């Protein structure tokens, strides 16, 4: 109860009211008792004077004690009090309630002494004669200027105390009722005071649980209303800050989620606190990485060494690490940080595998170009020297050498032209005009153009496609070049008596074109690399060509948004596939792009 603010407000008021009412009740009880006793004393004094006046005549003539006792009883009956007649020397001459003859001398009684001295005496004391408290009032009886006796009237205080007890009980009941009413009123006031505080507490708990739309409508015009308005302002500002933090967190999460580089954060104890998908992918880490020791996640001695060196030196460390298991080359940057008492490390992982692959392609390209150019240039050099040294006097031999030189120059020109075409296609500088094109327009011209060459090689060349195959969106000349390159390869590497089939089929929103031959096939090790520039499988080294035809075909198909691939079984032939998007009938515009 003491921890309840309602009772902490109400209890002091209740206790204070009870104490004040109790003190007031006690004061009123004593005050009324005093008034009652004073009133009784005044009444007894008046009655004593009345009795003294009536006893003046009998005492003056010396009436016998029996007569005086009878008079005492008569006055006691009329006054409803005890009446005692006392001589001036203290002897009891008569009493209305006791045997006066047996009573001791009353001269030393306080009220008697006071009456003799002052003309009126009063006292309240225990009466040994009757055995209980009595209030006395005594008045001297004066006869011819002399005190002839003393008239005393008394009443028991028991009746007074009964009246006072009843009065005190009434006062206490009234005080108790007032205390109850005051307590209820204090509880009501405390409840009305605490109710908005309780509502504030409930809304604060809702705010702590994440409900940022909490708002309190002030119902009073006091400090509680000021507190409610301050709470609303706090909730509004907190909502704005939480919204900003949430948006910032989402942006940061999006950045980390889509970063190509890996990012990791470890605490001062070396446990992972954050890891983005790129880092998990580069390290081959599991999904439950957060909270695990960094050494279990990195799993490479050089990565762990870089991290430890950075922590020990407090400086940024950088290095290159090759992960043989993932076949990846990583650039690693470890940066320690200490902010606001928090220690940790930021680890950046940059994948250099693609850079290394590009470097390898660049070296291979230079090597292949050098190799491809060296043969015709060496041939030209030899032919020129031969022509200059010995064949200049033989016109027939000179013409033969010049024809060979012309053929080598044609090969060089073709190589340069194909390199330029490939470069323009890769860089997007070769404009392609996309238009609705029938599959028949794409397939038949290249086939008919190369049919005589296939017949000279004793090969069967055929085309197959359904008559209702949909049109595609393509650059016609570019697709002719793709198909020509694929057919050249098929004719070149298919032995006499073989078969070449060009086929097209619609599959969903694509048309799949295939060129299938029954040639020598491609080795499994060579199959993944046949679309690289200048790459030639061992079986084709003797076949001539620049090695750029499939690379050009690949980039043209990709510029159309399609895919190109090959399937082959060595000794049984190969099939080359590429896809083209079906033309959307609702779009009749001619598109130009890469």
């Amino acid at each position: 109860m003491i921890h309840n603010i309602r009772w902490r407000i109400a209890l002091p008021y209740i206790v204070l009211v009870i104490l004040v009412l109790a003190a007031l009740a006690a004061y009123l009880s004593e005050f009324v008792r005093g008034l009652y006793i004073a009133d009784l004393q005044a009444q007894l004094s008046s009655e004593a004077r009345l009795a003294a006046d009536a006893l003046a005549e009998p005492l003056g003539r010396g009436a016998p004690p029996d007569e005086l006792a009878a008079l005492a009883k008569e006055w006691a009956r009329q006054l409803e009090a005890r009446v005692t007649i006392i001589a001036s020397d203290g002897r009891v001459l008569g009493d209305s309630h006791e045997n006066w003859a047996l009573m001791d001398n009353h001269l030393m009684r306080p009220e008697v002494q006071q009456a003799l001295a002052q003309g009126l005496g009063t006292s309240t004391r225990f009466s040994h004669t009757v055995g209980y408290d009595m209030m006395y009032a005594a008045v001297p009886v004066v006869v011819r200027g002399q005190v002839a006796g003393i008239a005393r009237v008394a009443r028991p205080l028991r009746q007074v105390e009964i009246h006072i007890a009843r009065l005190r009980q009434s006062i206490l009941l009234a005080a108790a009722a007032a205390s109850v009413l005051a307590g209820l009123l204090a509880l009501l006031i405390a409840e009305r005071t605490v109710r908005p505080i309780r509502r504030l507490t409930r809304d604060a708990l809702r705010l702590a649980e994440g409900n940022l739309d909490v708002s309190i409508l002030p119902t009073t015009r006091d400090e509680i209303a000021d507190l409610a308005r301050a709470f609303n302002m706090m909730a509004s500002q907190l909502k704005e800050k939480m919204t900003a933090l949430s948006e910032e967190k989402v942006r940061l999460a999006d950045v980390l989620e889509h970063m190509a580089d890996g990012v990791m954060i470890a605490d001062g104890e070396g446990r992972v606190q954050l890891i983005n998908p790129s880092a998990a992918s580069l390290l081959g880490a599991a999904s439950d990485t957060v909270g695990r020791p960094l050494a279990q996640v990195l799993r490479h001695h050089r990565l762990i060494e870089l991290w430890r060196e950075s922590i020990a030196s407090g400086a940024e460390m950088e290095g290159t690490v090759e992960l043989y298991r993932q076949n990846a080359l990583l650039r690693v940057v470890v940066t320690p940080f200490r902010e606001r008492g928090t220690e940790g490390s930021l680890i950046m992982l940059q994948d250099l595998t693609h850079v290394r692959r590009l470097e390898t392609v660049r070296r291979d390209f230079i090597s292949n170009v050098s190799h491809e150019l060296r043969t015709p240039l060496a041939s030209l050099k030899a032919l020129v020297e031969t022509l200059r040294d010995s064949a200049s006097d033989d016109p027939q031999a000179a013409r033969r050498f010049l024809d060979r030189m012309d053929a080598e120059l044609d090969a060089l020109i073709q190589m340069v032209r194909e390199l330029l075409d490939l470069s323009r296609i890769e860089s997007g500088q070769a404009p392609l005009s996309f238009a609705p094109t029938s599959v028949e327009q794409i397939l038949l011209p290249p086939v008919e153009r190369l049919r005589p060459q296939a017949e000279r090689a004793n090969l069967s060349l055929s085309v197959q496609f359904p008559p209702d195959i949909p049109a595609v969106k393509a650059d016609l000349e570019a697709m002719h070049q793709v198909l020509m390159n694929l057919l050249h390869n098929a004719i070149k590497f298919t032995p006499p008596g073989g078969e070449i089939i060009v086929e097209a089929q619609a599959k969903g929103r694509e048309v799949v074109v295939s060129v299938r031959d029954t040639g020598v096939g491609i080795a499994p090790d060579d199959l993944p690399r046949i679309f690289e520039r200048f790459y030639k499988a061992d079986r084709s080294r003797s076949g001539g060509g620049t090695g750029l035809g499939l690379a050009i075909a690949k980039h043209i198909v990709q510029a159309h948004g399609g895919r190109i691939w090959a399937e082959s079984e060595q000794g049984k032939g190969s099939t080359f596939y590429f896809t083209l998007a079906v033309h959307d009938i609702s779009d009749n515009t001619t598109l130009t792009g890469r």
Side-chain angles (χ1 to χ4, degrees):
M1 181 182 296
I2 194 170
H3 299 294
N4 190 320
I5 191 171
R6 178 180 62 181
W7 287 102
R8 291 172 65 182
I9 294 175
L11 275 179
Y13 287 102
I14 294 174
V15 172
L16 180 62
V17 168
I18 290 175
L19 291 176
V20 170
L21 289 177
L24 182 62
Y27 171 76
L28 288 176
S29 297
E30 292 301 320
F31 180 75
V32 171
R33 183 176 183 275
L35 290 177
Y36 197 83
I37 290 176
D39 182 69
L40 179 62
Q41 193 176 33
Q43 182 180 355
L44 287 175
S45 298
S46 177
E47 291 174 350
R49 290 190 181 93
L50 183 63
D53 292 340
L55 292 173
E57 189 275 331
L59 287 175
R61 59 182 174 84
D66 292 338
E67 182 182 351
L68 294 175
L71 287 173
K73 290 181 180 180
E74 178 62 22
W75 280 101
R77 183 182 62 79
Q78 294 180 11
L79 298 178
E80 295 181 352
R82 178 185 175 186
V83 177
T84 305
I85 302 172
I86 304 170
S88 59
D89 58 0
R91 292 179 295 109
V92 178
L93 301 176
D95 189 89
S96 61
H97 286 68
E98 299 294 334
N99 187 357
W100 56 273
L102 299 178
M103 297 176 66
D104 56 357
N105 191 285
H106 281 40
L107 181 63
M108 301 308 295
R109 296 292 192 270
E111 66 275 9
V112 173
Q113 289 292 320
Q114 189 177 9
L116 292 174
Q118 300 177 4
L120 174 65
T122 59
S123 68
T124 301
R125 57 184 172 79
F126 181 80
S127 175
H128 294 282
T129 303
V130 295
Y132 47 79
D133 288 338
M134 298 286 288
M135 176 176 283
Y136 299 93
V139 175
V141 180
V142 179
V143 178
R144 292 181 292 278
Q146 297 292 324
V147 177
I150 297 169
R152 189 183 71 174
V153 179
R155 275 198 180 90
L157 288 180
R158 183 170 52 193
Q159 294 180 357
V160 175
E161 295 297 334
I162 290 174
H163 288 294
I164 293 175
R166 289 175 182 174
L167 179 61
R168 184 180 290 117
Q169 183 178 9
S170 300
I171 293 174
L172 290 177
L173 287 176
S179 298
V180 171
L181 291 176
L184 293 176
L185 183 60
L187 286 175
L188 179 61
I189 295 173
E191 177 63 25
R192 293 192 62 183
T193 304
V194 170
R195 188 179 302 151
I197 299 177
R198 190 182 296 118
R199 188 166 62 249
L200 275 172
T201 304
R202 183 177 63 251
D203 292 335
L205 290 175
R206 290 170 57 196
L207 187 66
E209 292 171 356
N211 185 359
L212 301 180
D213 295 323
V214 175
S215 179
I216 300 176
L217 181 64
T219 56
T220 60
R221 295 183 180 181
D222 53 8
E223 289 82 355
I224 298 296
D226 296 337
L227 180 61
R229 283 189 287 270
F231 179 87
N232 291 336
M233 185 180 300
M234 179 195 69
S236 176
Q237 293 178 354
L238 181 61
K239 181 178 179 180
E240 292 176 0
K241 293 184 181 297
M242 290 297 294
T243 302
L245 286 175
S246 179
E247 292 175 353
E248 191 69 24
K249 183 179 179 181
V250 169
R251 284 195 293 268
L252 179 60
D254 289 340
V255 170
L256 292 175
E257 184 79 17
H258 297 94
M259 277 184 66
D261 294 342
V263 178
M264 295 179 63
I265 295 179
D267 59 17
E269 298 179 355
R271 292 189 174 274
V272 176
Q273 300 300 312
L274 182 145
I275 181 170
N276 71 339
S278 295
S281 176
L282 290 172
L283 297 173
S287 57
D288 57 343
T289 302
V290 175
R292 294 173 56 188
L294 193 62
Q296 294 182 7
V297 180
L298 296 178
R299 295 188 297 178
H300 193 283
H301 67 92
R302 181 55 183 155
L303 293 175
I304 299 173
E305 288 174 2
L306 285 171
W307 171 66
R308 288 178 176 170
E309 291 173 5
S310 175
I311 294 297
S313 63
E316 181 178 284
M317 303 298 295
E318 181 178 345
T320 303
V321 179
E322 185 166 5
L323 303 179
Y324 296 101
R325 185 174 299 177
Q326 284 84 15
N327 192 24
L329 180 67
L330 302 181
R331 176 176 174 265
V332 184
V333 180
V334 183
T335 305
F337 61 83
R338 292 180 178 88
E339 294 182 1
R340 299 178 184 176
T342 301
E343 296 184 3
S345 302
L346 172 65
I347 303 173
M348 298 289 295
L349 304 173
Q350 185 177 8
D351 188 4
L352 300 180
T353 308
H354 181 64
V355 176
R356 183 174 63 176
R357 186 179 298 112
L358 291 177
E359 183 65 24
T360 302
V361 170
R362 185 184 66 82
R363 288 197 304 266
D364 291 345
F365 175 74
I366 294 174
S367 175
N368 290 331
V369 168
S370 300
H371 175 76
E372 294 297 334
L373 290 177
R374 183 176 56 188
T375 300
L377 289 176
S379 298
L380 284 171
K381 178 69 174 176
L383 289 171
V384 169
E385 290 178 351
T386 303
L387 183 60
R388 183 181 57 199
D389 293 340
S390 60
S392 59
D393 297 332
D394 186 352
Q396 188 174 1
R399 180 174 293 278
R400 188 170 61 252
F401 287 139
L402 289 173
D403 289 341
R404 289 182 60 186
M405 290 171 63
D406 185 57
E408 293 295 341
L409 286 172
D410 288 341
L412 285 172
I413 293 171
Q414 180 183 356
M415 184 187 303
V416 172
R417 184 172 61 250
E418 290 181 347
L419 281 172
L420 289 174
D421 290 343
L422 182 59
S423 176
R424 292 173 63 194
I425 294 171
E426 287 181 337
S427 63
Q429 296 178 358
L432 299 178
S433 180
F434 297 97
T437 307
S438 67
V439 175
E440 181 180 2
Q441 290 177 298
I442 294 175
L443 302 184
L444 293 185
V447 170
E448 295 303 324
R449 184 174 177 182
L450 294 180
R451 189 180 297 278
Q453 184 178 343
E455 292 175 351
R456 285 196 299 270
N458 192 21
L459 300 175
S460 171
L461 179 58
S462 61
V463 180
Q464 298 176 4
F465 59 87
D468 58 347
I469 190 168
V472 296
K473 186 171 60 177
D475 183 296
L476 185 59
E477 292 185 4
M479 295 317 300
H480 283 173
Q481 186 176 1
V482 171
L483 204 56
M484 290 283 289
N485 288 343
L486 296 179
L487 287 173
H488 269 301
N489 282 345
I491 293 171
K492 186 186 301 183
F493 302 116
T494 301
E499 183 181 14
I500 300 172
I501 301 174
V502 180
E503 188 177 4
Q505 292 181 347
K507 292 186 177 180
R509 300 300 302 169
E510 291 181 333
V511 171
V512 181
V513 180
S514 63
V515 178
R516 184 171 69 250
D517 65 59
T518 57
V520 296
I522 306 171
D525 293 339
D526 295 327
L527 194 60
R529 302 189 60 190
I530 58 174
F531 291 101
E532 295 179 9
R533 290 173 293 186
F534 295 111
Y535 185 81
K536 296 181 181 180
D538 290 339
R539 66 175 177 84
S540 64
R541 285 293 183 188
S542 61
T546 62
L548 296 172
L550 290 180
I552 292 174
K554 169 189 167 185
H555 286 285
I556 291 176
V557 171
Q558 289 179 346
H560 281 69
R563 298 169 289 118
I564 186 169
W565 71 98
E567 297 175 357
S568 179
E569 187 176 352
Q570 199 166 8
K572 294 186 178 181
S574 305
T575 304
F576 285 80
Y577 300 91
F578 65 87
T579 63
L580 292 172
V582 173
H583 172 63
D584 189 355
I585 299 177
S586 62
D587 183 10
N588 293 322
T589 59
T590 299
L591 303 177
T592 302
R594 287 186 50 193

